Amino acid sequence: MTGSTEDWQGWFLGKEKRVTAGRFYTNVLKRATEELEEKLDAECTLMSYKKGRKIVSYELTIIDKSKLVNP
């Protein structure tokens, strides 16, 4: 799932509320990915993309560990 910082904040906080990118990452995205990993037995990778020093978008990859082939 990929989207701009505005998209992500809209999905999690609604259209009216906004917070700084750092606070959004710490309070929302990090907590959400940890919960997904725990409850779904998944592996989450969250990438942030920057334009200069400003974060402009995020990309979340979720891998279902139960579907991985063990050697």
Side-chain angles (χ1 to χ4, degrees), residues 2 8 19 23 33 35 37 39 51 54 65 67:
T2 303
W8 281 90
V19 295
R23 182 167 288 177
T33 55
E35 194 169 321
E37 289 177 337
K39 291 188 176 184
K51 186 173 186 178
K54 182 179 179 181
K65 287 182 180 179
K67 301 208 182 207

Side-chain angles (χ1 to χ4, degrees), residues 19-31 46 55 58:
V19 295
T20 65
R23 182 167 288 177
F24 180 69
Y25 173 79
T26 303
N27 293 344
V28 179
L29 294 179
K30 186 175 181 190
R31 187 180 295 170
L46 181 65
I55 296 173
Y58 296 104

Side-chain angles (χ1 to χ4, degrees), residues 10 12 14 16 31 39-40 47 57 59 63 67 71:
F12 280 92
E16 301 301 317
R31 187 180 295 170
K39 291 188 176 184
L40 299 179
M47 298 289 297
S57 66
E59 179 179 353
I63 299 169
K67 301 208 182 207

